[in-house]
Amino acid sequence: MRMVKFMALILMALMLFNSCSPISNTFSNADNKGNAKGDALTPGHTSIGNAKAEKYPVSIPEIIKQETSIVVEAENSELMGDLFITEAREGYSGDGYVSGFNKAYENKVKIMVDVATSQHYDITLCIASNNNVKNALMVNGKKVGEFEIKENETDKFIKATFYGLFLEEGSAEISIMEIDGDFDLDYIEVSDNKNLDEINYDISPKLCNENSNQTTKELMKYLTECYGKSIITGQYASNEKNLEIDIIYNVTEQYPAIRFGDIGGYSLNGQRDTKETEACIDWNKRGGIVGLMWYWNAPIGRASVYKASSDFNLSKAVTSIDIAGLDLSEIHDLYKNGEISSECYALIKDIDAISEQLKILQENDISVLWRPLHEAGGEWFWWGGSGSTAYQWLWGLLYSRQTYYHELNNLIWIWNGQDKDYTVSSNMYDIASLDIYLTGETDFGSRVEQYQWLNKVTESKKLLAISECGIVPNIDNMFRDKSMWSFFGLWYGNYLMTADGEFSEIYNSAEQLKKAYNSEGSINLYKYINRNKATIENK
């Protein structure tokens, strides 16, 4: 169901993320059930959360800053398996370097480092390979992130740095998890981090669409005011029954501030029975924030979002003709005359169909956190599978048609390309986000590495958010690591419940959810609805 895409940036911390299947509108045949106690919920209940639920203060350890520079030559570390010391490659330091990373199960390089204080550190690897390879850094048995040696960086030693990793005073074990193997390790360096103090949370609330309506401006203003101070909770719902959201309430006594859903059921090719628009209206009436993504089936041909299972080629749709502002009849004439392709014409028809649903929300004065064309950098979806240039053209077409032709002034645009090469004009999005799924871990942490990377890509000028995750983030760690994501969205289905709609702790324990939703550093639905009162009380 999920696909893994590696993305790297030398001298930056790197990230691991997975793709997810489209939200199913028939995930479970169970009626409104699924609470942790196994009791049936009353359909249509309007509770906004429990103000008296147990609260969790934000807990941050004492951090003592001290200048640090520790270099450990790999050849002086403990080696296991097929690893060996050699001097064959030029440019190494010390008495040689470690080679033999061939993915053998017994392979392990164990580097012990003693740090004098509990603080944030940068860990730099000096590495080399003759090929384009990726592998992962481990600290104290936990995967920190992945690093890549690209084709234009082969045949020489280069540095890959992971920034802002919190280490407690004492010994830390640093090792490598082989993914591709086939690399050489010269040394590792541990130094005190300096750039976390440079994080800027002062983001302008100005939206990319200058004609945004007042409700949308107010929502964006709220998001920017919260940024750096608290994290807004969010949950994906598999359909209008909101089973996942009800489970959240029964476990935590709170609701998410944001309900995320999929508008893809309204796409023309392979339409699904959906009541997503109605669900958004209902959620807005309850006082919550509406978030939508678009699992967009290929507009023509086999109805699939995936490049591998559709026969849609986005490159064939690209045109130099400015069609974004034309009436559909004019675009049809261009198609009939052979000036644009059938792929291009089909794109416009789908964009128009989805825009009609967004117009209904606009007519109801509902603002939308709008996240189309997600995870393009993974290249598994058709909208990313033809490369970054075609993707950027499609983003521009979508933005222009929805903003200027359809005059959708209720959208806060979220770019979720997941790859620097897939960035779009900063004038065409408001929030940058990442989808982050971890493999074999139960503590999400703060994902400081990914935060640092995305902050650099956006030049510290955009709100940053976790648009999808499989495990709820650790709020305390976000404060500790100065990685204050604007919001998170926990994925639906088996990340939270069983196939028959019961609460499941496979990915998220009840305690994790309680802490996330009742932390003094998070915003749940109750806090969001009572935000004005809270502001007055805090003055």
Side-chain angles (χ1 to χ4, degrees), residues 7 15 52 94-95 155 240 252 283-284 384 429:
M7 192 179 80
M15 68 183 170
K52 297 182 179 180
D95 298 324
D155 298 326
E240 74 283 354
T252 70
W283 187 250
N284 175 258
Y429 74 98

Side-chain angles (χ1 to χ4, degrees), residues 261-263 276 280 290-294 358 361 368-371:
D262 170 30
I263 203 169
E276 188 56 40
C280 291
V290 170
L292 284 173
M293 64 184 301
W294 184 7
L358 295 171
L361 300 182
V368 178
L369 298 176
W370 177 227
R371 185 172 68 102

Side-chain angles (χ1 to χ4, degrees), residues 268 296 299-300 328 331-332 342 344-354 401:
L268 299 179
W296 188 355
I300 54 176
L328 188 60
I331 297 173
H332 181 258
S342 59
C344 184
Y345 181 47
L347 286 175
I348 290 291
K349 289 195 294 182
D350 253 4
I351 292 172
D352 289 356
I354 293 299
R401 188 148 184 92

Side-chain angles (χ1 to χ4, degrees), residues 435-493:
D435 295 350
I436 306 173
Y437 292 84
L438 307 180
T439 304
E441 296 180 45
T442 57
D443 183 12
F444 191 86
S446 68
R447 310 327 301 168
V448 58
E449 314 84 27
Q450 290 91 330
Y451 188 95
Q452 292 266 340
W453 178 85
L454 192 57
N455 193 52
K456 184 172 182 178
V457 168
T458 59
E459 300 178 344
S460 303
K461 294 179 181 179
K462 299 289 184 180
L463 292 180
L464 308 182
I466 300 173
S467 43
E468 291 180 26
C469 54
I471 304 171
V472 289
N474 186 311
I475 305 298
D476 290 348
N477 287 357
M478 286 184 172
F479 279 87
R480 182 196 69 188
D481 298 338
K482 298 182 180 180
S483 301
M484 299 287 286
W485 302 88
S486 174
F487 58 81
F488 69 84
L490 182 65
W491 196 242
Y492 78 108

